[in-house]
Amino acid sequence: MKFGIFYELQLPRPWNDGDELRLYQNALTQLETADRLGYDYAWVVEHHFLEEYSHSPAPESFLAAASQRTKDIRLGHGIFQLTTNHPARVAERVAVLDLLSNGRCEFGMGESASITELTPFGRDMETKREVFEEAVQAIFPMFTKVGTEHHGKYFDIPLRNVVPKPVQKPHPPLWMACSQLPTIERAGENGFGALGFQFVSAEAAHAWVHAYYNAITKRLKKLADYEINPNMALVSFFMCAETDEEARRRADGATFFQFALRYYGQAQNRQRPAPGTVNMWDEYNKWKRENPDAQEAALRGGLIGSPETLRKKLRRFRSSHIDQVILLNQAGKNTHEHICESLELFAKEVMPEFQHDPEHEAWKKGVLSGAIKLEEIDTEAFRDRYGKLAVSVGQKSAAAG
């Protein structure tokens, strides 16, 4: 099992001078720590205009800085929005990061999921999948060919040589953002690694792994000429401390993260309010005062707890054959000190048991070769993207979004 860390670069209100500077510098220090401790991946999102929830509009710049402060950790776009970026610019930035990192770039792709982000770039919810698929078709020849051109519905690109070319040949490993079960299956069909932003249980993970690997082995339909990347990764809320109680006390940001997802997710097209009109941190604390039991239940989910508790939870995920668990530690107002201590303790007390798993590698080899046949599990019971312990936000609060 591989382990990654994940960044939205959240910054709840109130905002003070120097907060964004501190946020970025602390995150880079956390990546250095993770690299030193042997974590495998660092994933950084691309989001635009999402106050408090994500202050990460330029992951290529952040990852470029990280490439000069780390040696081994893989640096992942989790994800690059193909809807709000020109294909040539995507290919250029991915190649430059691969060069700067000496071949450690991971290329995750996605569409964006709200009109708040799409509309300013001339895109909409109705056509975003078409734009995504056409961008994929335009990008991949740019990595390998001396000259390429593309003439489609959404992009018209004359013959040009896109330089530089990436270190990894023919291109960095490919991933796709998956926030719901149908996109997990779609990632498998397209041959992309699945970045599952679901926060699901081990039981759900088992079903979703089967759905993914059945899609990639039985129903593969690539969008262009690229190398497939059969890998399934799931994000989990994360905080490791000496006791379960201390871990939950330090992990309040995980509940804020869930609250923000629910709050906006119930608005039409996930539209955010006008700038400065909603204080999400205040809304969250109001909800927390009114729903103490729900907050406590949410903190029992994910990978939040003592090393022994996390080992027990990860054993269940291992039995589901997840390839990578991505740990969401930087959320809400979780402190830099607690994040670093959590990474240190987890690496020392938990990771060694799961890092070398020949049984999983044998299972995966068997599945991909066809020697192991996976049953087609009924996944209807596992379609909630938030998980059974996730917070619930009433329609009255969500309507404000």
Side-chain angles (χ1 to χ4, degrees):
M1 185 182 293
K2 303 292 186 183
F3 291 97
I5 56 175
F6 176 60
Y7 285 85
E8 295 270 5
L9 294 174
Q10 293 204 323
L11 189 63
R13 286 184 170 88
W15 298 331
N16 299 303
D17 288 345
D19 282 352
E20 287 181 321
L21 174 63
R22 191 175 304 107
L23 171 69
Y24 269 76
Q25 295 302 321
N26 283 348
L28 287 171
T29 298
Q30 292 156 25
L31 257 68
E32 281 189 281
T33 301
D35 181 55
R36 172 176 56 81
L37 294 170
Y39 287 82
D40 301 289
Y41 293 83
W43 297 98
V44 182
V45 304
E46 177 186 355
H47 277 310
H48 303 276
F49 321 119
L50 304 187
E51 298 178 333
E52 300 184 73
Y53 181 77
S54 176
H55 289 228
S56 180
E60 68 279 1
S61 297
F62 180 86
L63 291 168
S67 75
Q68 303 306 291
R69 295 172 60 164
T70 57
K71 295 180 179 179
D72 300 309
I73 196 166
R74 306 285 300 178
L75 301 174
H77 282 282
I79 48 72
F80 223 134
Q81 291 182 3
L82 300 194
T83 46
T84 61
N85 291 280
H86 190 279
R89 295 293 284 140
V90 173
E92 291 167 344
R93 291 167 182 171
V94 167
V96 168
L97 177 60
D98 208 38
L99 291 165
L100 290 172
S101 65
N102 196 24
R104 289 186 283 138
C105 176
E106 301 278 321
F107 182 20
M109 301 168 284
E111 301 172 356
S112 176
S114 81
I115 62 174
T116 298
E117 294 187 83
L118 291 167
T119 300
F121 296 100
R123 301 301 184 198
D124 55 54
M125 297 287 284
E126 292 71 28
T127 61
K128 68 188 182 91
R129 180 171 176 175
E130 292 180 20
V131 175
F132 172 90
E133 292 184 350
E134 185 178 322
V136 169
Q137 294 162 6
I139 288 168
F140 285 96
M142 297 175 179
F143 288 134
T144 57
K145 298 185 183 300
V146 172
T148 67
E149 57 186 307
H150 176 88
H151 306 286
K153 181 177 179 181
Y154 299 101
F155 302 104
D156 189 49
I157 308 170
L159 180 64
R160 294 290 188 274
N161 184 18
V162 175
V163 292
K165 306 299 185 189
V167 175
Q168 300 174 90
K169 305 300 182 187
H171 50 71
L174 308 180
W175 301 79
M176 188 175 97
C178 305
S179 61
Q180 299 179 65
L181 180 62
T183 50
I184 289 278
E185 295 169 332
R186 184 177 144 208
E189 290 176 359
N190 292 159
F192 301 138
L195 288 172
F197 300 120
Q198 293 88 6
F199 320 107
V200 298
S201 65
E203 293 82 5
H206 176 75
W208 291 32
V209 166
H210 277 231
Y212 173 77
Y213 275 103
N214 277 328
I216 203 169
T217 56
K218 299 177 183 178
R219 297 179 282 276
L220 183 64
K221 295 181 292 186
K222 297 200 299 184
L223 298 175
D225 183 15
Y226 49 73
E227 286 194 356
I228 68 169
N229 179 34
N231 276 286
M232 176 81 190
L234 285 179
V235 173
S236 177
F237 297 114
F238 171 62
M239 184 64 74
C240 185
E242 293 293 346
T243 66
D244 291 347
E245 293 74 21
E246 180 65 12
R248 291 170 189 166
R249 187 184 69 79
R250 295 180 172 195
D252 183 66
T255 322
F256 172 78
F257 192 103
Q258 294 179 64
F259 176 84
L261 278 177
R262 287 288 202 186
Y263 187 96
Y264 290 134
Q266 295 180 58
Q268 185 176 7
N269 291 332
R270 298 183 187 169
Q271 183 176 8
R272 271 59 171 178
T277 59
V278 171
N279 184 315
M280 184 55 57
W281 185 250
D282 284 351
E283 292 289 334
Y284 165 62
N285 280 286
K286 177 183 176 183
W287 172 87
K288 191 165 61 170
R289 289 191 297 271
E290 296 173 352
N291 300 274
D293 293 340
Q295 190 222 9
E296 185 62 29
L299 290 174
R300 292 198 298 271
L303 293 170
I304 297 172
S306 68
E308 179 57 28
T309 294
L310 299 193
R311 284 194 292 268
K312 291 177 181 178
K313 290 188 175 186
L314 279 171
R315 286 169 193 147
R316 297 174 65 198
F317 274 106
R318 180 168 58 189
S319 68
S320 303
H321 293 292
I322 292 295
D323 295 296
Q324 180 184 162
V325 173
I326 304 174
L327 306 167
L328 173 58
N329 212 9
Q330 192 280 317
K333 294 192 178 184
N334 290 357
T335 71
H336 173 63
E337 291 73 22
H338 290 165
I339 290 169
C340 290
E341 289 174 10
S342 180
L343 291 171
E344 293 267 6
L345 185 60
F346 184 83
K348 178 182 177 182
E349 300 289 341
V350 182
M351 271 173 40
E353 179 180 335
F354 302 93
Q355 284 180 302
H356 305 290
D357 191 354
E359 182 179 332
H360 171 71
E361 293 305 318
W363 173 89
K364 185 171 179 175
K365 183 178 180 181
V367 169
L368 294 174
S369 69
I372 296 176
K373 305 292 184 183
L374 300 180
E375 63 177 314
E376 297 276 1
I377 296 177
D378 181 2
T379 55
E380 187 61 37
F382 306 111
R383 290 177 177 264
D384 185 352
R385 67 175 296 205
Y386 304 100
K388 62 184 179 182
L389 293 177
V391 306
S392 177
V393 178
Q395 291 296 324
K396 181 177 180 180
S397 293

